[in-house]
Amino acid sequence: MDRRIYIGLFCSLVATVAILATAIPVSTQTTGSFQYVIPHFNSNSGSELILSNLSSVLASAKVTFRNSEQAQVADAGINIPAGAQLRLTAGSLALSSFDGTVIVVSSNRLSVIATLSTGSGFESAVPATSGTDLIIPFSQGTTGRMKVTIYNPDDRSTSVVILPIAPDGTVLGNAAPTVAALGTLKLDIATLFPQPSTGPLRDISHLLIRVPKSVLGPDHRVFVQAEMINFSDAAEGIVVPHSDFSAVTAVPVGSAVLSGTIPFFVHGSDYLTELQFVNTSSDAGTVTLTARDIDGNLVPGTPVATVALPANGAARRSVQRVFNLGVGTTLGSIVFQSTTPVIAAEAIASANQSGFVVIPAGPQPDTNFVFSVRDFNPQVFIGLVFLNPSSSIANLMLQYVSDAGAIISSTTLTVDPSTQGMRTLANLFSGVRSAGFVYVSSDVPIIATALHVAVDNSVLGNLAAMHSQPDYAGPSSTAPPPPTPVGPTAPSGSGSAAPTLTSFGVLPVPLIAGNAGFTTTVTGTDFLPGVSVLINGVPRPTILLTPTTIQVTIPPEDLAIGGLVKVTAMNPSPTVGASNALDLPVMNPVPVVLSISPNSADVRLETNAPALPITVSGFGFKQGATILVAGTAIPTTFQNSNSLSGSIPQSSLEVGGAFAVSVVNPDPSVGPSSALPVLLSNLTPILAAVETDSLLTFDPTRPGETYNAPIVLRGSNFSKVSVFELTPPLCSKGLAIAPTSATVLIGGTQQFTAYLDGVATKAVTWTVNDVAGGNFTVGSISSTGLYTAPPAVPDPATVSVKVTSSSDPTKFAVATVTITSTPAATTGGVTGVGAVGATVVGSHEAVMTVTINCTGQYMVDVRNPQPGGGVSKTLAFNVVPFTPSSSPTIDDPAFNNAPNLGLFPPVAPARSPAFTLTITGSNFQPGAVVSFGSAVLFPALVTSTTITVTVPAYLVTQPGLVPVVVTNPTGGSSNRVLFGVN
C-alpha cells in the first residue's frame, strides 16, 4: 500500500489521497532541510505524531509512514503555521492499521515528538539519532522483554550486529540480522537471546548495536528505538516485573559524557528510583554522585557516593542503596561526575503498582522548554519539575497554548537558586482541558522535566521536553490565528508591511551583563505610529521619532544575562508580522578566580590514567563558563556562580611545571579572568634494568673503530623531559671535561666536572675564554666548575670553558658554551661522553643510543627535572674485548697428499644405503653443522679435529660431486671439499 497525501492546517486537518506506484526514499538531512525519524510508531488509539513549528515563519514538511514488512508507504505534504503545532495519526494518512517508522523532512527546524499507546500504557518518543555504534540503556535485565525497531535510511540493505552486554561488560551473545533498504526491522530480544533453561538467569544490562564498517563505500547508519515490559531488579528494590511498557531510544556511543544531571528522583510514597551508568570505555572507572533535596540541601544519609563502573559494563543502583536514604519520601536531583565516559539514565517505578518509566539523564540547562499536552483525562495527571542549577533566582513564565498557537492561560513561578519547583499541570492551569502545549520561558537557564502519571500509579510515562527556535517570540494573542491556506508558499499574515531594522544608535561600551538599563535608538524603514520594539519577544517602551528612527528603553531585566539579545520591531495590527532581528551583544563580565583545588598534583604518565578533576572557586561565573589550563579549554561543569568543576586530560599531565588556570565566560565575553597556578610535579624515575640486544664487544687493537649501540632501559616514570645520563669507562688517560658542550640561558648555571684518568678531580683550575674565573662579560666559573652565564648575550655568543691540571699545566680540556636569551622548552635528552640520544617508548621503557669506544663498564642513570623529579639509581652494562673467531678447516687430500684425511670415505656408490661420514680438520666447535650439498646435517660427534655425521640414502641417489662444508655456531665456514658419488 503506497499513498501520497498533501495536508494543510486550517481549523481542522484536510486530506486528499492519491495512489502512487513506488515508494519514495527519504534521504538524510541535506542543505536546507531537516530530518526527524521515529523508528517505531503505530496506529493504536492514542498514538500521535506531534509536529511543532515554534518559529516565526511558516514550515513546509513531508511526512512519510513506512512499514517495509507490509510494503506500506504513505506520504503527506504539510504546512504548519508559525507558532502552531499539528497532530497526526495513522488515520490522518488514511491508514487503518500501521506499525512501522515515521520520517519527517522539513524546510525549517521543527520540534517533533511521538506519543505511543499500547493498551492502557502510553509513552513519548523523541526522534532517534542515527549512528554506526549505538547503545540502548536499561535493557531487559533478567525478567524483562525488550523489542527493538531498527530503521535503515539507505537505499542499500545493511547488516547490523546486536550485542547484549552484562553489567560486568561481558558479551552475552551476538546476532547479525540484515535490514532491507529503506526497511524497518523489528526484533524480540528475549527471543533472540533466550534465557538458559538451567542455572542462573542472565542479566542483560544494555544493548550495543553496531553497523559494520564499509570497506569500499560510505558507512551505513541506522536509527534504533526499543520498548520494554516486565522489568524487575529485586536486588535494587524493583521486586516484581512491571507490566507498564517504557520506550527507550538508542543513543550514539559518542554521546557519552563525563558529567551531568539527573534532574528528578523520588523515593518513598510508592515510588522508587534506579540509576544506570553505562561505561563506554574499555577502562574501568568510577562515577561520583551528589544528591540534593528539592530545597538544594544535601540529602540525609550519604549524600556523596561513589559507584564502580566495570570496563565496557554498567552499574544499576537504586537511590536508596546509593545514598542510604531514611524512611519517608525524598525528592530531589543528582549531579554525577565520572572518570570514564558514560551514558546515564534513570528508571522510576511504582513500588506497589505496575507503573515503570525509563528517563535519560537531564537535558542541558536552557531558557525555554515546550511540553506537548494531550486532551484532559481525569485518570492521568502531568507532573512538571523545574530545577534551577544557577546561583540566581529563576523567574519563569508558563503559558498554556492551543495547537493553533493562541494563549489559553498563563502563570508565573519563581525558583530559588539550586532548588526545584514541582507542580502538576492542574495546579498551574486549573480548568484547562484542551490539547495544546505548555511554553516555559525563564530568565536564567533551568532544567525542566515532566511525567505522565496514572492516578493509581499503574502507568508512568516520560513527557520529553522540546524547545522553541531562536526566532520564536512566544504567543502574544489570545485570539485564534487566521486560517492558513494550503501550500508551502502561503503568507504568514496580512496587513501593513513589516519594518526593516538596520542598526542601533549609541550603546554602552562595553555592554556588560547586569547593566542597569539604557535608552537608545534603532534605525530602519517602514516604522508606523504605534510601532513597538520587542526585546527577546517582549514589547518595551517605544517612541516613534521619524519613519526611519525609533527610540527604545531597554530595562535591566533584559540585560541580566550575557548573550545575543534579539531586537525586533512590529507595527500595530493588522500587520504581516515582525521585522528582521538585530543581535544586541550583551557581554559576559570578566570572572574572578580566587582558588583552585587541588592546586598541585603529580604528572600522570600512563596513557590510561584518569583525568585530574579540579574545582575552581571565585565569583562571576556564568552558565557555560569554561576553565582554561595554559590557555586551552578543558571539559567544564557549571556548579554555580562561585564554583566550576573540570577535568584536565591525561595528555596534558605528562610534564611538570606551573600551569596557569583561568576562567572565561561564554561568548560574548569581555575576556578571561586572571590566572592562578597549578603546580604539576615530575616523578622520581626508577631504573630497574639495562639491556642490550647482544653481547657488546670492542676490538682494543683497532681503537678508531667506534660504533653506536642501542641500550634498552626499563623501569618507571620515564617521560619526555627525562635526561638519560651516561658515565663511560676510562677510554684514554689524561684530563677530560664533561659535558663537552652546553647551552645556558643568560644568568643561568651549568655544572662542569673534570676527570683525570677517568676519576673526578678537583686539583684543577678553571678559565673562561682564558680568563681565570671568568668575568662579567663572558660569565664566571667557580673553583668547583660551576659556570654562571653573564646577564647579557656576549658577542660572539659562544665561549670556551677550560680546565687545567694544577700539577701538570700541559694537561687541559676544553668545553664550549653557547649563551642564549631564549628559554629552551622543557625537553629531555642525554648527557655524558658517548651519549648520542634517547627515545622514550613509554613511561616504562626507553632506548638510549651510546657510542662504544672502549671496553669496560658503562654507568647509566635517569634524571627528571624540577619541579619534583629526582635521580634514579645507577645501573651498568659491560663491553668486553672482541675475540676473533677461528673458521673451521677441512683437511683437503689434494693438498695434503693424504687420501685418508678430509672425508672418509671420500666416495660412495649411487643409491647406496645411509652411511657414516668422518670429517677431519681443525677449529671445529661444538654445535657445528655439516652442509652436504644443499642439505644441512647435524653431527653425532664433534671434536676440535673430527666430525662424524650420518648421510641419508636419498642424498646419494645420483652420480656426481657433492660439496661438503662445516659451519661453526659462532660464525665462519670451512673450505669446500668435494665428495664423490659413483
Side-chain angles (χ1 to χ4, degrees):
M1 181 169 60
D2 189 350
R3 302 183 177 91
R4 181 183 295 277
I5 305 172
Y6 199 89
I7 301 179
L9 182 67
F10 287 81
C11 296
S12 61
L13 195 64
V14 180
T16 314
V17 181
I19 305 298
L20 292 180
T22 58
I24 298 178
V26 178
S27 63
T28 56
Q29 179 177 331
T30 58
T31 302
S33 68
F34 302 89
Q35 177 177 271
Y36 309 90
V37 175
I38 306 293
H40 183 221
F41 187 75
N42 59 41
S43 57
N44 294 347
S45 175
S47 293
E48 293 180 326
L49 177 69
I50 303 168
L51 310 178
S52 301
N53 178 20
L54 304 179
S55 72
S56 63
V57 295
L58 179 79
S60 298
K62 184 175 80 168
V63 180
T64 301
F65 282 50
R66 185 179 296 279
N67 184 341
S68 60
E69 293 181 351
Q70 300 179 11
Q72 189 179 42
V73 177
D75 293 328
I78 300 171
N79 286 338
I80 311 173
Q85 73 176 9
L86 178 66
R87 298 172 188 266
L88 296 177
T89 66
S92 303
L93 278 72
L95 298 174
S96 58
S97 65
F98 178 78
D99 192 67
T101 300
V102 177
I103 306 100
V104 179
V105 179
S106 173
S107 59
N108 308 89
R109 290 188 183 275
L110 300 175
S111 295
V112 178
I113 194 171
T115 300
L116 304 177
S117 177
T118 58
S120 61
F122 52 84
E123 266 284 11
S124 64
V126 297
T129 301
S130 67
T132 58
D133 293 274
L134 300 166
I135 282 180
I136 301 176
F138 257 103
S139 192
Q140 61 193 41
T142 58
T143 64
R145 191 175 190 94
M146 176 170 275
K147 295 184 178 181
V148 174
T149 302
I150 303 174
Y151 172 67
N152 174 17
D154 291 339
D155 56 2
R156 301 169 297 159
S157 65
T158 185
S159 61
V160 296
V161 178
I162 303 175
L163 303 172
I165 309 297
D168 63 1
T170 302
V171 178
L172 300 176
N174 70 84
T178 298
V179 188
L182 303 174
T184 300
L185 180 65
K186 300 164 195 169
L187 301 168
D188 188 333
I189 298 303
T191 302
L192 204 59
F193 305 104
Q195 290 286 3
S197 57
T198 60
L201 298 177
R202 293 183 302 183
D203 185 353
I204 300 180
S205 164
H206 56 282
L207 295 178
L208 178 59
I209 312 292
R210 283 182 168 165
V211 182
K213 300 292 184 181
S214 175
V215 177
L216 299 178
D219 289 340
H220 292 273
R221 305 173 72 86
V222 295
F223 298 83
V224 182
Q225 180 182 324
E227 288 92 37
M228 179 174 61
I229 61 172
N230 293 338
F231 181 85
S232 68
D233 191 351
E236 300 297 331
I238 305 179
V239 179
V240 298
H242 283 54
S243 59
D244 183 20
F245 94 104
S246 184
V248 186
T249 302
V251 295
V253 172
S255 66
V257 298
L258 293 174
S259 61
T261 301
I262 307 292
F264 173 71
F265 76 89
V266 55
H267 180 80
S269 185
D270 192 40
Y271 296 104
L272 50 89
T273 301
E274 182 168 313
L275 310 175
Q276 186 191 51
F277 298 92
V278 178
N279 182 6
T280 62
S281 169
S282 58
D283 296 323
T286 57
V287 59
T288 301
L289 310 174
T290 304
R292 296 184 181 274
D293 62 20
I294 59 175
D295 295 323
N297 302 315
L298 294 174
V299 299
T302 309
V304 180
T306 299
V307 176
L309 301 176
N312 300 311
R316 282 198 315 257
R317 299 289 187 274
S318 69
V319 295
Q320 166 64 25
R321 180 178 172 188
V322 172
F323 300 111
N324 299 313
L325 302 177
V327 296
T329 301
T330 305
L331 305 94
S333 62
I334 298 169
V335 173
F336 65 88
Q337 291 183 312
S338 177
T339 59
T340 57
V342 295
I343 293 172
E346 67 173 326
I348 299 178
S350 167
N352 301 304
Q353 299 294 327
S354 57
F356 179 83
V357 62
V358 174
I359 308 170
Q364 292 297 313
D366 207 330
T367 55
N368 79 82
F369 291 83
V370 179
F371 297 96
S372 183
V373 180
R374 297 151 61 102
D375 284 322
F376 174 76
N377 181 348
Q379 301 303 314
V380 175
F381 68 91
I382 294 177
L384 296 159
V385 181
F386 308 101
L387 172 63
N388 178 11
S390 73
S391 60
S392 303
I393 294 175
N395 298 297
L396 278 60
M397 170 66 75
L398 298 96
Q399 298 170 304
Y400 198 109
V401 186
S402 71
D403 284 347
I407 296 177
I408 299 174
S409 181
S410 64
T411 187
T412 59
L413 182 67
T414 299
V415 184
D416 290 331
S418 302
T419 68
Q420 290 172 299
M422 298 184 185
R423 299 290 190 276
T424 66
L425 191 66
N427 294 146
L428 293 169
F429 307 105
S430 60
V432 176
R433 295 174 176 266
S434 60
F437 61 92
V438 177
Y439 178 66
V440 182
S441 59
S442 172
D443 59 351
V444 300
I446 62 170
I447 300 175
T449 57
L451 289 175
H452 284 289
V453 184
V455 292
D456 62 355
N457 287 341
S458 61
V459 175
L460 299 176
N462 179 36
L463 182 56
M466 302 183 291
H467 298 280
S468 64
Q469 302 308 317
D471 61 345
Y472 179 60
S476 58
S477 172
T478 57
T484 302
V486 175
T489 59
S492 60
S494 60
S496 63
T500 299
L501 305 186
T502 57
S503 63
F504 295 109
V506 177
L507 298 173
V509 179
L511 177 53
I512 299 177
N515 186 283
F518 60 92
T519 298
T520 188
T521 58
V522 182
T523 59
T525 58
D526 297 326
F527 297 145
L528 299 179
V531 66
S532 178
V533 172
L534 291 82
I535 307 297
N536 283 339
V538 178
R540 294 306 183 198
T542 306
I543 299 175
L544 176 65
L545 301 179
T546 71
T548 60
T549 306
I550 50 179
Q551 178 180 289
V552 59
T553 298
I554 302 178
E557 55 263 34
D558 292 338
L559 307 170
I561 303 175
L564 295 178
V565 173
K566 298 292 184 180
V567 179
T568 57
M570 181 174 288
N571 285 322
S573 296
T575 180
V576 297
S579 71
N580 62 302
L582 293 181
D583 288 334
L584 177 63
V586 179
M587 311 293 284
N588 279 308
V590 174
V592 175
V593 174
L594 296 177
S595 64
I596 304 164
S597 178
N599 59 9
S600 63
D602 289 335
V603 296
R604 300 189 176 184
L605 303 176
E606 305 294 337
T607 56
N608 60 352
L612 174 66
I614 63 170
T615 299
V616 179
S617 300
F619 57 87
F621 302 157
K622 301 297 182 181
Q623 185 74 38
T626 303
I627 300 173
L628 305 177
V629 177
T632 300
I634 65 172
T636 304
T637 299
F638 178 84
Q639 304 292 344
N640 53 55
S641 62
N642 303 113
S643 179
L644 302 174
S645 60
S647 297
I648 305 177
Q650 179 275 334
S651 59
S652 300
L653 301 171
E654 295 179 338
V655 177
F659 296 91
V661 176
S662 58
V663 172
V664 63
N665 280 322
D667 287 334
S669 170
V670 177
S673 70
S674 57
L676 291 180
V678 167
L679 182 65
L680 198 63
S681 296
N682 290 310
L683 300 171
T684 300
I686 298 172
L687 184 59
V690 176
E691 301 173 0
T692 59
D693 289 340
S694 60
L695 180 66
L696 297 180
T697 63
F698 187 81
D699 189 349
T701 65
R702 308 168 78 176
E705 295 184 0
T706 63
Y707 65 96
N708 292 340
I711 309 299
V712 179
L713 310 181
R714 302 194 188 278
S716 301
N717 303 335
F718 301 162
S719 77
K720 61 181 68 175
V721 297
S722 295
V723 177
F724 299 89
E725 301 177 327
L726 175 70
T727 303
L730 174 62
C731 295
S732 60
K733 292 186 178 295
L735 190 66
I737 187 174
T740 57
S741 63
T743 298
V744 184
L745 185 68
I746 52 175
T749 60
Q750 171 66 53
Q751 179 67 55
F752 290 93
T753 303
Y755 295 90
L756 182 61
D757 296 337
V759 178
T761 179
K762 296 182 179 179
V764 291
T765 59
W766 298 90
T767 62
V768 181
N769 280 6
D770 293 326
V771 177
N775 58 31
F776 184 81
T777 302
V778 296
S780 60
I781 193 164
S782 70
S783 61
T784 60
L786 181 64
Y787 171 78
T788 301
V793 177
D795 184 16
T798 300
V799 300
S800 297
V801 171
K802 183 178 179 181
V803 60
T804 304
S805 172
S806 300
S807 59
D808 186 355
T810 62
K811 295 180 179 180
F812 64 89
V814 178
T816 58
V817 178
T818 301
I819 295 97
T820 177
S821 60
T822 304
T826 304
T827 58
V830 295
T831 184
V833 177
V836 177
T839 300
V840 178
V841 180
S843 63
H844 298 282
E845 180 181 349
V847 179
M848 185 178 185
T849 302
V850 173
T851 298
I852 304 301
N853 54 10
C854 65
T855 61
Q857 192 174 64
Y858 290 68
M859 311 300 292
V860 177
D861 62 58
V862 185
R863 182 186 300 273
N864 282 343
Q866 293 182 336
V871 183
S872 73
K873 68 179 180 180
T874 301
L875 295 180
F877 65 92
N878 294 310
V879 177
V880 300
F882 171 75
T883 302
S885 62
S886 299
S887 298
T889 302
I890 301 175
D891 292 333
D892 191 338
F895 291 96
N896 296 336
N897 194 24
N900 293 328
L901 296 179
L903 305 179
F904 185 81
V907 296
R911 294 180 295 278
S912 64
F915 62 93
T916 297
L917 178 66
T918 299
I919 305 172
T920 62
S922 59
N923 295 330
F924 299 154
Q925 295 177 351
V929 295
V930 176
S931 297
F932 191 87
S934 59
V936 177
L937 305 179
F938 295 91
L941 172 68
V942 178
T943 69
S944 62
T945 59
T946 304
I947 292 176
T948 59
V949 65
T950 299
V951 179
Y954 68 85
L955 295 180
V956 290
T957 57
Q958 299 295 327
L961 296 176
V962 180
V964 177
V965 176
V966 173
T967 301
N968 279 335
T970 59
S973 297
S974 72
N975 55 310
R976 186 180 67 169
V977 177
L978 298 179
F979 180 86
V981 180
N982 297 330

